[in-house]
Amino acid sequence: MRLDRRRFLAGSAALGAVGLGIRPAWAKGSVTAAVYPGSWEEAFRGIVAPALDKAHGVQLEMQALYAVDQIAKARAARGQPTFDVFVLDPGPRVSGIEAGVFDKFTPSKLTNLGAVPAGLADEWGVTVAAQVVGIAYNPKKLPPPKDWDDLLKDPWVSRLGLTGFQTTFGTVSIIEIARRFGGSETNVDPFFVEMRKVLSKVATIGTPQSMAGLYQQGQCDVLYTNTQTVSTLKGRGVDIEFVKPASGAVAFFTTMHLAKGAAEPENAYRYIDTVIGRDVQAALIQPPWNFVPVNREVALGPELPMKTLDEMAGFVRHDWTKINPLRAGWIERFNKEVAK
């Protein structure tokens, strides 16, 4: 039997608790999951962990890691991962499949699968949250833009907050801008051509993490982002509205996957099943978390640009098997030509 450091620490702590006459918190075991730092970690600590404990007596241990770091850590672990479950956006999901760091997934083990729209589970994992990307603007300072190319026109460009390809929402937004000028999901040259014409007018350029703060501080009044960010800022009293571009909002999905060689695979399924359950999804859609749910039994709020989850099937989607090989070059080019 393999006894890795994670099991050893858990076992030692449990024995200590028994010796003190205290019921071990992980009497039915535990699961260790990677989770995005920030709001994801806070939401999962406050909502998912108690729900998993209540339903299954399983303790949730989290490792706060961005997607790229999850893949890198799993590859370095060489089949002995330090966590059981990945949470990834579509680009890193493709990287994970290609790197062989996932175990095959059995969706039928999830009791809540029937409430998830068709096509959101496969042999590699299941979708646990959606993201809808479009344009956000300050309605007190600007007229509503109609489509992606408006961002490079006045009056919007002079109040534009610009960020690059580091994030999924940044990448898909720039692809859509490029498409309005003749580009495609593998050709963003038109974005750079058009950007050179207006770069001196752009209000601010920042990292993805800084954009919400820059908007809140009034350093820009229009940007591309997701509904979750818009709802969060609106909840703080910020003047902001979401626009679904005329050519279509973008939808992409955050998925969970079983780590290859996971120490607690059955608890991993219980954890994932808890995440997509109605009660947890209904809690995660509430402020301040504002997740876009994937469970049909959860009522959608008026801030989302759709009445049912099935409408997302008609939103713009992208093929990350084509984007991934190009993305690093795009990031480098953006930093050199735009954020210089």
Side-chain angles (χ1 to χ4, degrees), residues 25 50 128 141 175 234 242 251 255 277:
V128 299
K141 295 184 178 179
I175 287 172
K234 190 176 286 190
F242 182 83
T255 48

Side-chain angles (χ1 to χ4, degrees), residues 59 95 136 161 193 205 227 251 279 308 337:
Q59 295 294 300
S95 298
V193 171
I205 302 171
T227 56
D279 292 346
T308 70
E337 298 183 21

Side-chain angles (χ1 to χ4, degrees), residues 59-318:
Q59 295 294 300
L60 175 61
E61 301 168 18
M62 292 184 287
Q63 293 187 19
L65 293 166
Y66 290 110
V68 174
D69 298 326
Q70 293 175 41
I71 301 298
K73 198 165 186 176
R75 296 186 70 167
R78 299 180 181 276
Q80 295 192 40
T82 60
F83 53 83
D84 303 306
V85 179
F86 290 86
V87 58
L88 300 170
D89 283 352
R93 167 193 152 92
V94 171
S95 298
I97 294 171
E98 293 173 349
V101 296
F102 302 156
D103 264 338
K104 284 293 184 71
F105 191 78
T106 306
S108 61
K109 288 188 175 184
L110 304 176
T111 64
N112 292 300
L113 184 65
V116 175
L120 298 189
D122 61 17
E123 63 179 341
W124 296 114
V126 63
T127 297
V128 299
Q131 291 201 41
V132 178
V133 177
I135 303 170
Y137 76 106
N138 186 330
K140 291 189 175 179
K141 295 184 178 179
L142 292 171
K146 295 180 180 178
D147 211 342
W148 296 100
D149 53 328
D150 281 346
L151 296 177
L152 304 192
K153 302 174 184 174
D154 282 321
W156 301 282
V157 67
S158 59
R159 298 305 306 151
L160 176 63
L162 192 64
T163 191
F165 293 91
Q166 301 97 320
T167 61
T168 303
F169 81 82
T171 299
V172 298
S173 297
I174 294 176
I175 287 172
E176 291 310 301
I177 293 172
R179 274 180 165 164
R180 301 286 80 71
F181 294 98
S184 69
E185 68 181 353
T186 57
N187 176 20
V188 295
D189 287 348
F191 165 80
F192 288 102
V193 171
E194 297 300 321
M195 182 52 61
R196 281 196 292 271
K197 300 175 184 176
V198 298
L199 186 57
S200 62
K201 294 182 178 181
V202 171
T204 186
I205 302 171
T207 63
Q209 298 88 343
S210 69
M211 296 314 298
L214 292 172
Y215 183 94
Q216 191 168 359
Q217 295 162 16
Q219 296 190 41
C220 58
D221 293 309
V222 62
L223 71 170
Y224 36 83
T225 190
N226 57 24
T227 56
Q228 187 177 25
T229 298
V230 173
S231 296
T232 299
L233 290 176
K234 190 176 286 190
R236 297 173 186 167
V238 177
D239 295 317
I240 189 167
E241 295 294 341
F242 182 83
V243 172
K244 181 180 175 182
S247 53
V250 176
F252 66 86
F253 302 104
T254 302
T255 48
M256 284 187 174
H257 308 269
L258 195 62
K260 197 174 192 64
E264 301 289 350
E266 295 309 314
N267 284 342
Y269 278 103
R270 295 185 180 101
Y271 162 64
I272 296 171
D273 202 27
T274 299
V275 174
I276 64 172
R278 181 191 60 192
D279 292 346
V280 165
Q281 292 271 305
L284 291 174
I285 196 176
Q286 301 300 321
W289 317 119
N290 302 305
F291 281 53
V292 179
V294 296
N295 188 309
R296 283 200 186 97
E297 298 172 2
V298 176
L300 302 183
E303 70 281 3
L304 293 175
M306 58 210 182
K307 295 182 179 178
T308 70
L309 295 180
D310 293 317
E311 290 182 36
M312 287 193 291
F315 287 6
V316 177
R317 306 274 290 276
H318 297 92

Side-chain angles (χ1 to χ4, degrees), residues 91 94-95 98 186 319-330:
V94 171
S95 298
E98 293 173 349
T186 57
D319 184 347
W320 285 85
T321 63
K322 297 178 180 177
I323 294 171
N324 271 356
L326 302 169
R327 192 175 176 190
W330 292 348

